[in-house]
């Protein structure tokens, strides 16, 4: 695996470099935003993962993320930052980050996040980026079906009351599929981190909350909210509101 680490703190970069070396990963370091963006532009297909600090000289990490996503919608991107507010997380995710790690962090936590994101990216690549799924209404073409919801893992298509839920990122789709496969079952944030992000104990639960928030916004464009909060526990899928 080849990693582009855009991080202005040289001590952090050197420390992570040692951990990456133990995993036999190659790393390219960039110490400011402009340098990192130029490194990606020079070889946009050459990196398996990008880690991106938000507080960077010459170009803010948010702008770097926006520029990277304009070039590639699929390269896995993990944001690293000392900012820990929910608004910063949501903004980072809206700009295309796949995950969010708050400083200070354990090196093993970041390694685990990278491994999990890389596994998910390999699965997602089996569906060509930008491929337009053929719209269909036959339940046999969907592997998740409830009274008012249909989802196809093959075409990455999700319908609520016959209307497509559009613009789902790979993580949002996987999150929706996990919840909808077990209607009314309550999943804790820890369970969702393990099932959707492929890691346990290392995860930041706010990553789940931020993705749920974005997912709900896209669902609400086509119908009633089917992702419900169970206070003090987690989240569940319930489309019974559409009955009647």
């Amino acid at each position: 695996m080849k990693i582009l680490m855009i991080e202005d703190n040289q001590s952090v970069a050197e420390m992570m470099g040692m951990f990456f070396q133990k995993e036999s990963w190659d790393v390219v370091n960039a110490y400011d935003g402009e340098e990192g963006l130029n490194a990606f532009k020079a070889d946009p297909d050459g990196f398996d993962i990008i880690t991106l600090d938000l507080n960077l000289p010459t170009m803010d990490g948010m702008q770097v993320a926006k520029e990277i996503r304009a070039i590639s919608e699929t390269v896995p991107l993990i944001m690293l930052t000392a900012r820990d507010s929910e608004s910063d997380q949501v903004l980072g995710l809206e700009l295309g980050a796949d995950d969010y790690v708050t400083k200070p962090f354990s090196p093993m936590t970041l390694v685990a996040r990278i491994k999990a994101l890389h596994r998910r990216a390999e699965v997602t690549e089996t569906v060509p980026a930008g491929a337009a799924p053929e719209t269909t209404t036959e339940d046999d073409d969907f592997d998740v079906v409830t009274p008012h919801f249909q989802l196809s893992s093959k075409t990455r298509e999700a319908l609520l009351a016959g209307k497509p839920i559009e613009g789902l990122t790979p993580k949002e789709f996987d999150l929706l599929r996990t919840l909808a496969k077990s209607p009314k079952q309550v999943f804790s944030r820890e369970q969702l981190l393990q099932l959707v992000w492929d890691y346990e104990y290392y995860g930041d639960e706010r990553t789940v909350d931020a993705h749920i928030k974005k997912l709900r916004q896209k669902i609400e464009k086509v119908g009633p909210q089917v992702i419900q909060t169970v206070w003090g526990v987690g989240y569940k899928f319930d489309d019974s509101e559409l009955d009647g």
Side-chain angles (χ1 to χ4, degrees):
M1 184 155 46
K2 187 175 181 180
I3 300 170
L4 173 60
M5 187 168 201
I6 308 175
E7 167 63 62
D8 67 324
N9 187 320
Q10 191 166 347
S11 296
V12 171
E14 290 175 354
M15 175 187 66
M16 289 312 308
M18 290 188 290
F19 280 87
F20 294 159
Q21 187 176 15
K22 289 181 181 179
E23 299 290 337
S24 298
W25 298 343
D26 294 327
V27 59
V28 173
N29 289 306
Y31 299 105
D32 64 56
E34 188 173 356
E35 181 185 358
L37 180 59
N38 288 338
F40 180 70
K41 285 181 175 179
D43 190 13
D45 297 320
F47 297 102
D48 298 292
I49 297 278
I50 298 174
T51 68
L52 172 65
D53 186 31
L54 287 190
N55 297 313
L56 292 168
T58 71
M59 182 182 291
D60 183 79
M62 293 289 189
Q63 183 62 34
V64 175
K66 185 177 179 180
E67 296 281 348
I68 287 173
R69 278 292 173 251
I71 299 169
S72 171
E73 296 181 355
T74 58
V75 62
L77 176 62
I78 299 177
M79 284 192 170
L80 309 176
T81 180
R83 305 175 191 175
D84 60 359
S85 71
E86 182 180 352
S87 60
D88 281 328
Q89 291 184 47
V90 172
L91 179 57
L93 293 167
E94 287 178 347
L95 287 173
D98 297 287
D99 206 348
Y100 193 105
V101 178
T102 304
K103 294 180 179 179
F105 57 84
S106 160
M108 292 308 299
T109 295
L110 181 57
V111 168
R113 299 283 189 100
I114 289 172
K115 288 181 177 179
L117 187 54
H118 185 57
R119 285 194 298 269
R120 285 287 173 179
E122 288 181 324
V123 172
T124 301
E125 284 174 2
T126 61
V127 179
E134 295 181 7
T135 302
T136 178
T137 58
E138 295 296 329
D139 284 355
D140 289 345
D141 296 318
F142 296 91
D143 52 297
V144 179
V145 177
T146 70
H148 305 286
F149 177 79
Q150 298 165 304
L151 178 146
S152 169
S153 298
K154 182 178 179 180
T155 64
R156 311 290 286 187
E157 180 183 15
L159 305 177
L160 180 62
K163 298 178 182 178
I165 303 172
E166 297 180 339
L168 294 175
T169 66
K171 275 292 187 295
E172 291 163 1
F173 182 90
D174 292 342
L175 183 57
L176 180 57
R177 177 176 56 191
T178 299
L179 292 167
K181 282 171 64 177
S182 303
K184 297 188 179 181
Q185 178 180 331
V186 180
F187 291 86
S188 68
R189 292 169 177 83
E190 293 89 346
Q191 288 175 313
L192 291 172
L193 281 170
Q194 184 178 7
L195 293 168
V196 178
W197 280 263
D198 281 348
Y199 47 70
E200 190 173 9
Y201 305 122
Y202 300 110
D204 186 339
E205 294 180 6
R206 290 169 296 186
T207 298
V208 176
D209 294 336
H211 277 80
I212 288 285
K213 182 175 181 178
K214 284 188 64 187
L215 178 57
R216 282 173 165 167
Q217 291 171 349
K218 294 174 182 179
I219 290 171
E220 287 171 354
K221 292 180 180 180
V222 300
Q225 189 53 251
V226 293
I227 305 298
Q228 307 296 335
T229 299
V230 180
W231 296 108
V233 184
Y235 299 101
K236 68 177 181 179
F237 178 95
D238 185 358
D239 61 348
S240 61
E241 184 180 338
L242 278 71
D243 293 326

